[in-house]
C-alpha cells in the first residue's frame, strides 16, 4: 500500500512515517496549493492519504486566527478536492482533534457528543470535519480521527510537555533553576504519539467505516500531576513558577475521550504507560540540548 502523508514533517507525522516505513510517502506540497497537491497525487497514485497538515497549537491559534482557518479548513478542502480529481478510490483519514468537543458534558466523551469548539484551532478543525463529511457524502472514502493530546519524544516547545521537557533538560545543564508553566489544573487524556501512529495504521488495515473516531485512552490526568512526574525524573532541584504569558484566553477544564469505537473497529489499545512516555520524552529533550550546546 502506498500512503501519502501531509504534514509528515511534524511531530505526529515523523512518528507515523517511522511506523509505516516504506509504505509511506511524505507530501511536499503546500496544502493551500491545489494544483501541487493534484500533481503529487497524480504521480504517486496512493491507495490512502493521511491528512495531518495543520497549524496545531491551540495557544497560537488566538494570535493568527485567519491563517489557522486557511490552513486547517481550506487546506483540508484543497486536499479532498485533489483526491477527488486524481485518486478518487483512495482511503482518506483526516486528523481533527478532541478539542472540537469543547467543554463536554459527558466524560469520557463519545463521538456522538455535540461539537462545540471554544478556540480558533478547534473551530477550524470542526470546519475541516464538515468538509470531510461532505466529501464522504459525495463518494469519497473519508474517515476522521479526533486525537486527544498526543505526547512523546520530539514534541516541540509550543506544547506543554514539549516545553517542560526542554526546560528541564536545560536546567539540568545549568544545575537547577526555575521551570515556567501555564495552567496546571486542567485534566487531559494523554496518549503516546507512537501508540497514536499505530492507531492510524490499524484504521487503514481494518478498513474501518466512515465517520469519526476518538484517539484517546479514556483516562484523564491533572496536568500538575504530569509536571510532578517529570520534575521527579530530573537530576537537579527545580522550582516551578506560573507565567502569565503561558495562559490561554480560554481553558477546557477536562478533556477526556471515549476510545470504545476505535477499539471495536481495530482492536487498538495503548501500549506505552505514561511514565515511560514522559521518560522517553525527557531523554529525547536531553539529546536535543546536547546537540544544541
Amino acid at each position: 500500500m502506498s500512503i501519502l502523508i501531509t504534514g509528515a514533517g511534524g511531530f505526529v507525522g515523523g512518528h507515523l512515517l517511522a511506523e509505516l516505513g516504506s509504505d509511506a510517502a511524505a507530501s511536499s506540497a503546500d496544502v493551500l496549493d491545489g494544483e501541487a497537491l493534484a500533481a503529487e497525487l497524480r504521480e504517486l497514485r496512493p491507495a490512502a492519504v493521511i491528512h495531518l497538515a495543520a497549524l496545531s497549537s491551540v495557544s497560537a491559534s488566538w494570535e493568527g486566527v485567519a491563517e489557522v482557518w486557511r490552513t486547517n479548513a481550506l487546506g483540508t478542502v484543497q486536499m479532498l478536492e485533489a483526491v477527488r480529481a486524481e485518486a478518487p478510490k483512495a482511503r482518506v483519514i483526516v486528523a481533527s482533534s478532541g478539542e472540537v468537543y469543547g467543554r463536554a458534558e459527558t466524560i469520557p466523551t463519545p463521538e456522538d457528543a455535540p461539537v462545540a469548539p471554544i478556540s480558533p484551532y478547534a473551530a477550524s478543525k470542526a470546519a475541516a470535519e464538515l468538509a470531510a463529511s461532505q466529501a464522504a457524502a459525495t463518494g469519497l472514502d473519508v474517515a476522521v480521527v479526533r486525537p486527544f493530546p498526543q505526547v512523546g519524544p520530539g514534541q516541540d516547545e509550543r506544547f506543554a510537555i514539549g516545553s517542560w521537557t526542554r526546560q528541564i533538560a536545560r536546567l539540568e545543564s545549568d544545575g537547577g533553576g526555575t521551570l515556567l508553566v501555564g495552567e496546571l489544573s486542567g485534566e487531559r487524556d494523554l496518549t503516546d504519539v507512537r501508540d497514536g501512529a499505530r492507531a492510524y495504521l490499524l484504521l487503514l488495515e481494518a478498513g474501518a467505516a466512515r465517520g469519526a473516531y476518538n484517539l484517546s485512552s479514556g483516562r484523564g490526568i491533572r496536568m500538575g500531576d504530569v509536571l510532578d512526574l517529570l520534575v521527579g525524573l530530573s537530576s537537579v532541584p527545580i522550582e516551578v513558577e506560573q507565567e502569565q504569558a503561558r495562559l490561554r484566553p480560554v481553558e477546557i477544564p477536562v478533556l477526556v475521550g471515549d476510545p470504545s469505537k476505535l477499539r471495536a473497529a481495530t482492536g487498538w489499545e495503548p501500549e506505552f504507560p505514561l511514565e515511560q512516555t514522559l521518560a522517553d520524552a525527557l531523554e529525547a529533550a536531553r539529546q536535543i540540548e546536547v546537540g544544541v550546546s
Side-chain angles (χ1 to χ4, degrees), residues 1 28 37 39 49 60 76 85 89-90 107 115 136-137 142 149 155 226 266 282:
M1 178 185 291
S28 60
L37 283 168
V49 177
T76 300
K89 296 185 182 300
I107 304 293
V115 170
V142 185
Q155 191 167 33
V226 177
T266 68
L282 179 55

Side-chain angles (χ1 to χ4, degrees), residues 36 58 73 117 122 240:
V58 176
V240 175

